[in-house]
Amino acid sequence: QNQQSQSSTTSTQTASKESVQMLFGEGEYLQVWSNSKNSWLDGHVLKAFPENCRSEGFAVPAGTLKVTFGTGTVKWIMPGQA
């Protein structure tokens, strides 16, 4: 029974280290959709998160981008939104 508990824990830890191929890297330029302006704006990637992690106190899923655009607006682009 102990072995089952250990293997479950290991698989959970492995899943939390999931790594994904990123479409954009840090410093790359891209266009970001602005809901308030109802248009695409030029921006760039501040941080790319290829693995599940914590950032600024939040759980961040693998594949997330932190981008900036306009006059310094920051937006988090979740996996599947890019």
Side-chain angles (χ1 to χ4, degrees):
Q1 195 173 22
N2 249 355
Q3 290 174 338
Q4 287 177 341
S5 296
Q6 288 174 345
S7 65
S8 294
T9 303
T10 303
S11 65
T12 301
Q13 290 171 346
T14 303
S16 69
K17 293 293 184 186
E18 174 188 355
S19 184
V20 299
Q21 177 92 23
M22 300 299 297
L23 297 175
F24 298 95
E26 291 179 29
E28 282 193 68
Y29 289 91
L30 71 171
Q31 291 201 317
V32 181
W33 179 257
S34 169
N35 289 329
S36 62
K37 303 245 190 261
N38 199 32
S39 65
W40 292 97
L41 301 175
D42 292 332
H44 73 275
V45 178
L46 294 173
K47 181 106 175 115
F49 298 89
E51 294 182 350
N52 294 329
C53 65
R54 293 195 65 79
S55 180
E56 300 180 28
F58 297 97
V60 179
T64 300
L65 296 172
K66 182 179 179 183
V67 301
T68 184
F69 61 97
T71 58
T73 301
V74 174
K75 186 173 191 173
W76 293 78
I77 310 295
M78 304 307 283
Q81 292 181 324

